[in-house]
Amino acid sequence: MMTAADFHQIADTLNSDTGIYLSIEKAPLVYSRLAKRIRALKMSGFEEYCAFIASKRGVEERRNMMNSLTTNVTRFFREPHHFETMKNEILPDLIAQAKRGGKIRIWSAACSSGEEPYSIALTVLSLLPDAASYDIKILATDIDENILRKAAAGVYRKGDVTIPSEAQKKKYFSKEDASGVSLVASDELKQLITFRPLNLIKPLPLSGSFDIIFCRNVVIYFQEETQRELWSKFHKAIKPNGWLFIGHSERITGPATSLFKSEGFTAYQRIE
Ligand SMILES: C[S@@+](CC[C@H](N)C(=O)[O-])C[C@H]1O[C@@H](n2cnc3c(N)ncnc32)[C@H](O)[C@@H]1O
């Protein structure tokens, strides 16, 4: 059994570690995801589990708990208008600069299992097939180190590799083994991306660096104040006139509208 007090302890712990806010309606989800952890640890129930995660010995399990409670749903070219905007309106100038010796830096902040940064890399490669010869880097980060390992491996079920260009799919993905059930991203694709763990609610070690930040479908789990702090950190992390893409049900509102101007549905540009 999970009592209301157990739920609140778990929700508060998750909130202070990740910024994710769980309302009481999420109790069934918390129950089903953590009941598995409790069984795996051979514990008697939520009371023992809650005492454990609050103790020094429970530090590692606190991370497992966080990994179990984060939502990692994603897919290739999710919300395709961002990739179109990037390809048609942003990359042509950036690529021209890169050809003159400049750099391009794109950040997939909360990249989950990697479909987003691989889609970004494929978009760059669609305009510049020899992108690796230029100073072009995609940073892909997430708080969940398990999902990040999956992202770096780049192995996906064949049916999940929903890439609009069949030619790119053939060129940049190959069968993982003879069964052909899974495809693996090629080294040519992977070499554009660096995968790193990063918690968005902590101070960001990257300032004034990025031409484009994708931070999609993560702040929806944060409370307003946490969102506001993140918009201000992104304003510092983005280069002048740089871009920020957020998820379809997310918005920049309140005081942060002085930092970013809307340039179409869930696409924003830094205000100088
Ligand atoms: C629903 S996925 C979004 C993936 C991708 N951006 C997309 O839109 O398809 C949300 C991701 O946010 C990550 N996340 C949650 N809280 C985070 C935090 N404080 N810092 C970094 N990543 C976080 C989760 O681990 C999860 O992989």
Side-chain angles (χ1 to χ4, degrees), residues 125-136:
L125 288 164
S126 70
L127 294 178
L128 192 67
D130 59 341
S133 320
Y134 297 93
D135 191 356
I136 300 177

Side-chain angles (χ1 to χ4, degrees), residues 20-219:
I20 296 171
Y21 170 74
L22 296 175
S23 62
I24 190 75
E25 289 79 53
K26 290 284 188 325
L29 177 136
V30 170
Y31 180 86
S32 70
R33 293 196 183 172
L34 295 187
K36 284 186 202 142
R37 294 289 323 140
I38 290 168
R39 274 197 301 275
L41 293 165
K42 298 191 170 42
M43 287 185 169
S44 56
F46 275 86
E47 196 183 342
E48 188 182 353
Y49 188 74
C50 285
F52 185 55
I53 57 158
S55 71
K56 269 196 182 146
R57 288 181 308 124
V59 173
E60 173 86 25
E61 181 52 29
R62 210 160 141 155
R63 236 189 325 270
N64 289 330
M65 181 184 92
M66 178 199 76
N67 292 344
S68 303
L69 293 176
T70 49
T71 300
N72 301 120
V73 176
T74 184
R75 58 183 176 276
F76 284 94
F77 289 93
R78 182 182 199 181
E79 298 166 35
H81 63 285
H82 290 148
F83 298 95
E84 280 152 27
T85 302
M86 181 168 82
K87 183 172 179 174
N88 300 326
E89 294 175 34
I90 311 173
L91 283 178
D93 279 352
L94 292 179
I95 287 175
Q97 286 168 33
K99 285 183 173 170
R100 293 194 299 270
K103 36 180 162 173
I104 303 180
R105 295 289 181 268
I106 305 172
W107 179 16
S108 168
C111 66
S112 188
S113 41
E115 288 86 337
E116 184 177 276
Y118 288 119
S119 302
I120 296 170
L122 288 165
T123 306
V124 172
L125 288 164
S126 70
L127 294 178
L128 192 67
D130 59 341
S133 320
Y134 297 93
D135 191 356
I136 300 177
K137 292 196 176 111
I138 298 160
L139 174 68
T141 64
D142 201 283
I143 196 174
D144 178 342
E145 297 197 21
N146 291 342
I147 206 75
L148 211 49
R149 269 192 288 278
K150 186 173 178 337
V155 178
Y156 301 98
R157 281 208 315 254
K158 200 174 174 181
D160 292 340
V161 184
T162 49
I163 292 170
S165 158
E166 206 46 47
Q168 273 204 321
K169 186 169 166 179
K170 268 207 184 105
K171 186 169 176 190
Y172 297 114
F173 287 85
S174 55
K175 287 182 189 159
E176 194 205 10
D177 57 30
S179 76
V181 175
S182 300
L183 297 181
V184 57
S186 70
D187 289 343
E188 205 180 345
L189 190 54
K190 284 181 181 170
Q191 67 183 338
L192 293 176
I193 310 171
T194 306
F195 293 96
R196 290 265 178 282
L198 186 141
N199 185 348
L200 290 168
I201 67 162
K202 297 273 157 67
L204 302 181
L206 327 138
S207 112
S209 317
F210 295 98
D211 299 287
I212 311 170
I213 296 178
F214 283 70
C215 184
R216 308 185 311 161
N217 306 299
V218 55
V219 303

